[in-house]
Amino acid sequence: MSTTVETAAAAAPTSPAAVIVAIDGPSGTGKSSTSRAVAAQLGLSYLDTGAQYRAMTWWMLSNGIDVRDAAEVATAAAKPVIVSGTDPTAPTITVDGEDAAGPIRTQEVTSGVSAVSAVPEVRTRITELQRTIAAQAQGGIVVEGRDIGTTVLPDADLKIFLTASPEARAARRSGELKGSDLAATKEALIRRDAADSGRKTSPLAKADDACEVDTTELTLQQVIECVVTLVEEKRAAK
């Protein structure tokens, strides 16, 4: 009897090892599209950390907080309740129970998010939230942002840093923002890079043990395939 049970157990397929994947990089490298697609393909949870900082910024703007006043932002940072859904096929984000998926993508929020995300109290609050979400993802998770591999999840199983030339990134972003000026978009990206890389708290940076993937000459599908391969290799090695 026991032999039969043992044989059946041995024959049963094993679930893939849970992995925590950190994907970092500047805007326009394909982070979000790649991360969502990889998570969906491999059955992992997904977290867009940039959306959380945008949600915080939107709340500040909606509540009359001067996002350029670091002290005022720091004082208010603990107030909003931000909840992120982790289904890669339909990610959600709410602030104080209100759907914020649309409002956080406005130009006003885009213009203010670097200033808000540079405030240490904001980063501490959001980082704690991100770590909690990652810890609760039993089957594994893909977390994308700018400081995931270096600060938020330094012990992630796999760290990937996506890069691309400013020209390629500007062209992609202009394609997303119909009718936008290519040169102006490029300048905006370069300014955002400088702000994110130059902030004192958790700057945008490549982790020493991250795999760098230059997406300049790659299609989105090629980037997805590359990252899926890296994740599958890491799973197999666990």
mmCIF file of all heavy atoms in Angstrom, residues 174-201:
data_model
loop_
_atom_site.group_PDB
_atom_site.id
_atom_site.type_symbol
_atom_site.label_atom_id
_atom_site.label_comp_id
_atom_site.label_asym_id
_atom_site.label_seq_id
_atom_site.Cartn_x
_atom_site.Cartn_y
_atom_site.Cartn_z
ATOM 1 N N SER A 174 7.002 58.298 -27.064
ATOM 2 C CA SER A 174 6.229 59.152 -27.986
ATOM 3 C C SER A 174 5.137 58.341 -28.651
ATOM 4 O O SER A 174 4.051 58.851 -28.937
ATOM 5 C CB SER A 174 7.141 59.768 -29.046
ATOM 6 O OG SER A 174 8.003 60.725 -28.466
ATOM 7 N N GLY A 175 5.435 57.058 -28.929
ATOM 8 C CA GLY A 175 4.436 56.191 -29.527
ATOM 9 C C GLY A 175 3.275 55.949 -28.582
ATOM 10 O O GLY A 175 2.119 55.824 -29.005
ATOM 11 N N GLU A 176 3.582 55.898 -27.271
ATOM 12 C CA GLU A 176 2.534 55.706 -26.267
ATOM 13 C C GLU A 176 1.711 56.987 -26.107
ATOM 14 O O GLU A 176 0.494 56.940 -25.909
ATOM 15 C CB GLU A 176 3.164 55.331 -24.920
ATOM 16 C CG GLU A 176 3.881 53.978 -24.930
ATOM 17 C CD GLU A 176 4.719 53.782 -23.681
ATOM 18 O OE1 GLU A 176 4.680 54.669 -22.796
ATOM 19 O OE2 GLU A 176 5.414 52.757 -23.584
ATOM 20 N N LEU A 177 2.399 58.122 -26.152
ATOM 21 C CA LEU A 177 1.741 59.418 -25.976
ATOM 22 C C LEU A 177 1.519 60.027 -27.355
ATOM 23 O O LEU A 177 2.349 60.768 -27.853
ATOM 24 C CB LEU A 177 2.614 60.337 -25.113
ATOM 25 C CG LEU A 177 3.044 59.762 -23.755
ATOM 26 C CD1 LEU A 177 4.061 60.683 -23.094
ATOM 27 C CD2 LEU A 177 1.839 59.574 -22.852
ATOM 28 N N LYS A 178 0.443 59.676 -27.967
ATOM 29 C CA LYS A 178 0.163 60.092 -29.349
ATOM 30 C C LYS A 178 0.296 61.605 -29.520
ATOM 31 O O LYS A 178 -0.223 62.388 -28.749
ATOM 32 C CB LYS A 178 -1.261 59.664 -29.733
ATOM 33 C CG LYS A 178 -1.496 58.155 -29.640
ATOM 34 C CD LYS A 178 -0.742 57.403 -30.731
ATOM 35 C CE LYS A 178 -1.137 55.927 -30.783
ATOM 36 N NZ LYS A 178 -0.490 55.094 -29.796
ATOM 37 N N GLY A 179 1.065 61.985 -30.543
ATOM 38 C CA GLY A 179 1.188 63.393 -30.868
ATOM 39 C C GLY A 179 2.230 64.153 -30.071
ATOM 40 O O GLY A 179 2.387 65.358 -30.242
ATOM 41 N N SER A 180 2.964 63.451 -29.197
ATOM 42 C CA SER A 180 3.965 64.140 -28.382
ATOM 43 C C SER A 180 5.207 64.447 -29.219
ATOM 44 O O SER A 180 5.505 63.766 -30.198
ATOM 45 C CB SER A 180 4.348 63.294 -27.160
ATOM 46 O OG SER A 180 4.943 62.083 -27.565
ATOM 47 N N ASP A 181 5.942 65.455 -28.817
ATOM 48 C CA ASP A 181 7.140 65.879 -29.517
ATOM 49 C C ASP A 181 8.309 64.980 -29.117
ATOM 50 O O ASP A 181 8.615 64.835 -27.939
ATOM 51 C CB ASP A 181 7.450 67.338 -29.165
ATOM 52 C CG ASP A 181 8.703 67.824 -29.864
ATOM 53 O OD1 ASP A 181 8.621 68.216 -31.030
ATOM 54 O OD2 ASP A 181 9.772 67.813 -29.218
ATOM 55 N N LEU A 182 8.969 64.384 -30.100
ATOM 56 C CA LEU A 182 10.033 63.414 -29.827
ATOM 57 C C LEU A 182 11.193 64.036 -29.049
ATOM 58 O O LEU A 182 11.674 63.468 -28.070
ATOM 59 C CB LEU A 182 10.537 62.812 -31.146
ATOM 60 C CG LEU A 182 11.581 61.694 -31.032
ATOM 61 C CD1 LEU A 182 11.023 60.526 -30.245
ATOM 62 C CD2 LEU A 182 12.015 61.230 -32.427
ATOM 63 N N ALA A 183 11.638 65.215 -29.486
ATOM 64 C CA ALA A 183 12.769 65.871 -28.817
ATOM 65 C C ALA A 183 12.421 66.237 -27.383
ATOM 66 O O ALA A 183 13.223 66.048 -26.458
ATOM 67 C CB ALA A 183 13.177 67.119 -29.594
ATOM 68 N N ALA A 184 11.215 66.749 -27.190
ATOM 69 C CA ALA A 184 10.779 67.128 -25.843
ATOM 70 C C ALA A 184 10.650 65.894 -24.951
ATOM 71 O O ALA A 184 10.999 65.930 -23.761
ATOM 72 C CB ALA A 184 9.443 67.858 -25.913
ATOM 73 N N THR A 185 10.181 64.798 -25.531
ATOM 74 C CA THR A 185 10.047 63.554 -24.774
ATOM 75 C C THR A 185 11.411 63.046 -24.339
ATOM 76 O O THR A 185 11.597 62.605 -23.204
ATOM 77 C CB THR A 185 9.341 62.469 -25.622
ATOM 78 O OG1 THR A 185 8.056 62.937 -25.998
ATOM 79 C CG2 THR A 185 9.204 61.179 -24.848
ATOM 80 N N LYS A 186 12.386 63.125 -25.248
ATOM 81 C CA LYS A 186 13.749 62.688 -24.924
ATOM 82 C C LYS A 186 14.324 63.530 -23.788
ATOM 83 O O LYS A 186 14.933 63.004 -22.847
ATOM 84 C CB LYS A 186 14.639 62.792 -26.168
ATOM 85 C CG LYS A 186 16.087 62.392 -25.917
ATOM 86 C CD LYS A 186 16.914 62.537 -27.191
ATOM 87 C CE LYS A 186 18.396 62.285 -26.920
ATOM 88 N NZ LYS A 186 19.214 62.443 -28.145
ATOM 89 N N GLU A 187 14.153 64.841 -23.861
ATOM 90 C CA GLU A 187 14.666 65.724 -22.814
ATOM 91 C C GLU A 187 14.007 65.422 -21.469
ATOM 92 O O GLU A 187 14.653 65.432 -20.430
ATOM 93 C CB GLU A 187 14.433 67.196 -23.201
ATOM 94 C CG GLU A 187 15.346 67.686 -24.303
ATOM 95 C CD GLU A 187 16.816 67.522 -23.967
ATOM 96 O OE1 GLU A 187 17.206 67.875 -22.832
ATOM 97 O OE2 GLU A 187 17.573 67.016 -24.823
ATOM 98 N N ALA A 188 12.695 65.138 -21.507
ATOM 99 C CA ALA A 188 11.969 64.825 -20.273
ATOM 100 C C ALA A 188 12.499 63.533 -19.654
ATOM 101 O O ALA A 188 12.654 63.432 -18.428
ATOM 102 C CB ALA A 188 10.479 64.711 -20.549
ATOM 103 N N LEU A 189 12.793 62.550 -20.488
ATOM 104 C CA LEU A 189 13.327 61.286 -19.995
ATOM 105 C C LEU A 189 14.705 61.479 -19.367
ATOM 106 O O LEU A 189 15.006 60.904 -18.319
ATOM 107 C CB LEU A 189 13.421 60.264 -21.143
ATOM 108 C CG LEU A 189 12.117 59.645 -21.621
ATOM 109 C CD1 LEU A 189 12.357 58.812 -22.875
ATOM 110 C CD2 LEU A 189 11.484 58.793 -20.533
ATOM 111 N N ILE A 190 15.534 62.278 -20.007
ATOM 112 C CA ILE A 190 16.875 62.531 -19.492
ATOM 113 C C ILE A 190 16.808 63.258 -18.151
ATOM 114 O O ILE A 190 17.555 62.949 -17.209
ATOM 115 C CB ILE A 190 17.711 63.334 -20.519
ATOM 116 C CG1 ILE A 190 18.006 62.459 -21.746
ATOM 117 C CG2 ILE A 190 19.008 63.837 -19.895
ATOM 118 C CD1 ILE A 190 18.672 63.191 -22.897
ATOM 119 N N ARG A 191 15.874 64.210 -18.030
ATOM 120 C CA ARG A 191 15.698 64.911 -16.755
ATOM 121 C C ARG A 191 15.225 63.951 -15.674
ATOM 122 O O ARG A 191 15.679 64.005 -14.528
ATOM 123 C CB ARG A 191 14.690 66.062 -16.908
ATOM 124 C CG ARG A 191 15.229 67.286 -17.630
ATOM 125 C CD ARG A 191 14.345 68.502 -17.382
ATOM 126 N NE ARG A 191 12.966 68.267 -17.808
ATOM 127 C CZ ARG A 191 12.518 68.480 -19.057
ATOM 128 N NH1 ARG A 191 13.352 68.930 -19.984
ATOM 129 N NH2 ARG A 191 11.251 68.255 -19.360
ATOM 130 N N ARG A 192 14.294 63.062 -16.032
ATOM 131 C CA ARG A 192 13.789 62.074 -15.075
ATOM 132 C C ARG A 192 14.918 61.138 -14.635
ATOM 133 O O ARG A 192 15.048 60.801 -13.453
ATOM 134 C CB ARG A 192 12.648 61.272 -15.704
ATOM 135 C CG ARG A 192 12.072 60.167 -14.821
ATOM 136 C CD ARG A 192 11.219 60.735 -13.700
ATOM 137 N NE ARG A 192 10.847 59.703 -12.743
ATOM 138 C CZ ARG A 192 9.769 58.917 -12.839
ATOM 139 N NH1 ARG A 192 8.958 59.033 -13.865
ATOM 140 N NH2 ARG A 192 9.508 58.037 -11.900
ATOM 141 N N ASP A 193 15.754 60.714 -15.578
ATOM 142 C CA ASP A 193 16.891 59.856 -15.246
ATOM 143 C C ASP A 193 17.798 60.536 -14.226
ATOM 144 O O ASP A 193 18.247 59.917 -13.252
ATOM 145 C CB ASP A 193 17.717 59.545 -16.498
ATOM 146 C CG ASP A 193 17.008 58.607 -17.457
ATOM 147 O OD1 ASP A 193 15.966 58.044 -17.072
ATOM 148 O OD2 ASP A 193 17.507 58.445 -18.584
ATOM 149 N N ALA A 194 18.093 61.812 -14.491
ATOM 150 C CA ALA A 194 18.986 62.562 -13.610
ATOM 151 C C ALA A 194 18.403 62.688 -12.209
ATOM 152 O O ALA A 194 19.107 62.530 -11.205
ATOM 153 C CB ALA A 194 19.259 63.942 -14.201
ATOM 154 N N ALA A 195 17.101 62.954 -12.141
ATOM 155 C CA ALA A 195 16.442 63.089 -10.841
ATOM 156 C C ALA A 195 16.440 61.764 -10.089
ATOM 157 O O ALA A 195 16.723 61.707 -8.891
ATOM 158 C CB ALA A 195 15.012 63.598 -11.030
ATOM 159 N N ASP A 196 16.126 60.682 -10.792
ATOM 160 C CA ASP A 196 16.040 59.371 -10.144
ATOM 161 C C ASP A 196 17.410 58.830 -9.754
ATOM 162 O O ASP A 196 17.560 58.192 -8.712
ATOM 163 C CB ASP A 196 15.342 58.370 -11.076
ATOM 164 C CG ASP A 196 13.867 58.674 -11.254
ATOM 165 O OD1 ASP A 196 13.319 59.440 -10.440
ATOM 166 O OD2 ASP A 196 13.261 58.163 -12.208
ATOM 167 N N SER A 197 18.407 59.068 -10.603
ATOM 168 C CA SER A 197 19.749 58.560 -10.310
ATOM 169 C C SER A 197 20.473 59.417 -9.272
ATOM 170 O O SER A 197 21.360 58.928 -8.572
ATOM 171 C CB SER A 197 20.590 58.523 -11.597
ATOM 172 O OG SER A 197 19.985 57.698 -12.571
ATOM 173 N N GLY A 198 20.089 60.690 -9.202
ATOM 174 C CA GLY A 198 20.798 61.606 -8.317
ATOM 175 C C GLY A 198 20.208 61.765 -6.929
ATOM 176 O O GLY A 198 20.826 62.394 -6.063
ATOM 177 N N ARG A 199 19.014 61.217 -6.683
ATOM 178 C CA ARG A 199 18.414 61.383 -5.356
ATOM 179 C C ARG A 199 19.242 60.641 -4.306
ATOM 180 O O ARG A 199 19.859 59.602 -4.579
ATOM 181 C CB ARG A 199 16.964 60.916 -5.351
ATOM 182 C CG ARG A 199 16.758 59.450 -5.598
ATOM 183 C CD ARG A 199 15.293 59.040 -5.471
ATOM 184 N NE ARG A 199 15.127 57.637 -5.783
ATOM 185 C CZ ARG A 199 14.431 57.158 -6.804
ATOM 186 N NH1 ARG A 199 13.793 57.972 -7.616
ATOM 187 N NH2 ARG A 199 14.348 55.856 -7.014
ATOM 188 N N LYS A 200 19.235 61.172 -3.097
ATOM 189 C CA LYS A 200 20.039 60.591 -2.017
ATOM 190 C C LYS A 200 19.469 59.273 -1.518
ATOM 191 O O LYS A 200 20.204 58.376 -1.100
ATOM 192 C CB LYS A 200 20.153 61.587 -0.861
ATOM 193 C CG LYS A 200 20.950 62.843 -1.212
ATOM 194 C CD LYS A 200 21.060 63.771 -0.015
ATOM 195 C CE LYS A 200 21.868 65.027 -0.373
ATOM 196 N NZ LYS A 200 21.969 65.956 0.777
ATOM 197 N N THR A 201 18.142 59.157 -1.499
ATOM 198 C CA THR A 201 17.504 57.960 -0.965
ATOM 199 C C THR A 201 17.137 56.988 -2.083
ATOM 200 O O THR A 201 16.373 57.337 -2.979
ATOM 201 C CB THR A 201 16.230 58.335 -0.178
ATOM 202 O OG1 THR A 201 16.562 59.290 0.824
ATOM 203 C CG2 THR A 201 15.619 57.105 0.473
#
